[in-house]
Amino acid sequence: MALNPLAVASSIIVVGGFVLIGAILWPIFLRDIIIITNGLGRTVQPISDFPYQCRRISGPDLQACEDMWLSERTRQLFLACSDSASRKHWMPNIARFNVSGRSLNDKIIALDIDKPVDTGFEYRVLETPGFPGVNGDGRLHLVGMTGVDGKDEIDLYVVNAKPSVNSTTGEFLNQKDHKEVGGNSTIEQFRVNIEAEEVQFVQTFADPHISTPNNIAPTGKGSFYFTNDHGPNKAGTWHALSPIMKNGDVSYCNEGGCRKVDGGHGFPNGLSFGKDGLLYVPSSWAGDLKVYRTLPDGGVKQVDTIYIPYALDNLSLDGNGDLWVPGLPNIGATLRAFDNPLGPTPPATVFRIHKKDDGTYQVDKVLEDSEGKVLPGATAVVHDVKTGRIFLSGVFSPFISVCEPMDSPSQEKAGSESTGRDEL
Ligand SMILES: *[C@@H]1O[C@H](CO)[C@@H](O)[C@H](O)[C@H]1NC(C)=O
Ligand SMILES: *[C@@H]1O[C@H](CO)[C@@H](O)[C@H](O)[C@H]1NC(C)=O
Ligand SMILES: *[C@@H]1O[C@H](CO)[C@@H](O)[C@H](O)[C@H]1NC(C)=O
Ligand SMILES: *[C@@H]1O[C@H](CO)[C@@H](O)[C@H](O)[C@H]1NC(C)=O
């Protein structure tokens, strides 16, 4: 195949997990590019088609919340938030390396979903004493987040996309050097008491295999799986080409260290365990979810594929065992919004994946907002089965949204999306 990586890279623009090829298209990638990322030939519906009442919740703390996790046990929604205006400057996962433009104010928020107030819900910004950050600055640079509900505490695992430093001087590398070596992402573990008032920093996971971490699926036994959305390529041409070369991976860490357990992924995103114990890995590039059985040695074996013809983002599991995933129906609009977060809101879609008794999957489109009226350009969605509420947040969005079902929570119904299914 005659392709000049540099020429290709220069025409690729990457945003929030999605890649656009501008000038150069070649047949082998046409399906991915046109069908999945640009969504030609798909009906994008207005929010009024869906039986939900949605509203935005704004506030200085509730912006650029890339990811969320619901503690079912304590009824607290944890959010990994940042600064909308800064995401375009600093986001190593998509090769934004302007260190001086990074957010200095990332925070973990605990929102009480049973305590609505006028403006939204009661929430607390969690202090993280004892967390060293870089050179003792104590700062987090939040991307993905997942928790584990314990009996007396909650463990939170976050992807911390921090800048790299010069090992001699300890100073941050400049933008030019970052473009060569990339950021220095680690996975941080915090332990929070049940009221989410006391936060204890537990440990940093730093490992050569934690290269472009996107999100984490803890096993609950101290080990975890995670996705490297660009595989080992932290920066440069191979980083830009990674989604089409499909060198993203699923990796695994335990006390013994970390290792890659499955390769060949095109921008693998926010993975999650299902209630069936299987591991679900969505792709922001290929429009599918790969389903894995985990093996006793930490390895994985693929057992199924679920096709959803949208670029997919972070998965979350609800109390009924259904998986929820946001899709981005219009990449062009998302791209523009990423660089102009206070401008027009891009359209958003929410899918629910239900595993039927016969083992096949049913995928329903639960929400869609073709005009970007109330939903954020969503990168994470969380469903509370008790109230039927759906919470949505977005990596660069200046607000989060909550949608209340108009009828009873158990009767959500919406347009179905036809899906294929692969038996492997
Ligand atoms: C980097 O960020 C700073 C601070 O926001 C901004 O002034 C500067 O223009 C940015 N540089 C580039 C190259 O985008
Ligand atoms: C899902 O979260 C990860 C961090 O987990 C973030 O890098 C990714 O962009 C999110 N999904 C998307 C696309 O935004
Ligand atoms: C990356 O982070 C690790 C863990 O915090 C640290 O030990 C290491 O010095 C950092 N490396 C660079 C190049 O910043
Ligand atoms: C680190 O700083 C030293 C001293 O300024 C410099 O000589 C070296 O080139 C720097 N290394 C990197 C990787 O930037």
Side-chain angles (χ1 to χ4, degrees), residues 393-416:
S393 70
V395 59
F396 52 77
S397 175
F399 57 88
I400 67 169
S401 296
V402 59
C403 297
E404 314 260 356
M406 288 177 186
D407 46 11
S408 88
S410 54
Q411 307 196 341
E412 296 155 14
K413 282 278 178 309
S416 272

Side-chain angles (χ1 to χ4, degrees), residues 148-166:
V148 182
D149 267 329
K151 197 161 86 53
D152 302 312
E153 75 264 312
I154 297 162
D155 277 313
L156 294 176
Y157 292 84
V158 302
V159 171
N160 183 19
K162 66 188 199 296
S164 294
V165 296
N166 179 316

Side-chain angles (χ1 to χ4, degrees), residues 133-134 162-167 173 184-186 188 204-206:
V134 182
K162 66 188 199 296
S164 294
V165 296
N166 179 316
S167 55
L173 298 189
N184 185 18
S185 292
T186 48
E188 316 290 350
T204 295
F205 296 90

Side-chain angles (χ1 to χ4, degrees), residues 16-18 66-67 91 93 143-145 159 213-215 229 267 269-270 284 312-314 379 395:
F18 306 98
E66 159 93 55
D67 205 4
M91 188 131 189
N93 295 67
V143 191
M145 176 173 67
V159 171
N214 181 298
N215 221 328
D229 56 36
F267 209 114
N269 211 305
S284 290
L312 300 174
D313 222 294
N314 290 299
T379 55
V395 59

Side-chain angles (χ1 to χ4, degrees), residues 89 98 100-102 175:
H89 292 303
N98 182 0
S100 57
R102 76 192 187 285
Q175 185 166 3

Side-chain angles (χ1 to χ4, degrees), residues 9 67 76 83 94-95 103 184 237 247 251 253 341 349 388 399 402-403 415:
D67 205 4
Q76 296 174 101
D83 171 4
I94 54 166
S103 161
N184 185 18
T237 304
N247 71 347
S251 292
C253 300
T349 311
F399 57 88
V402 59
C403 297

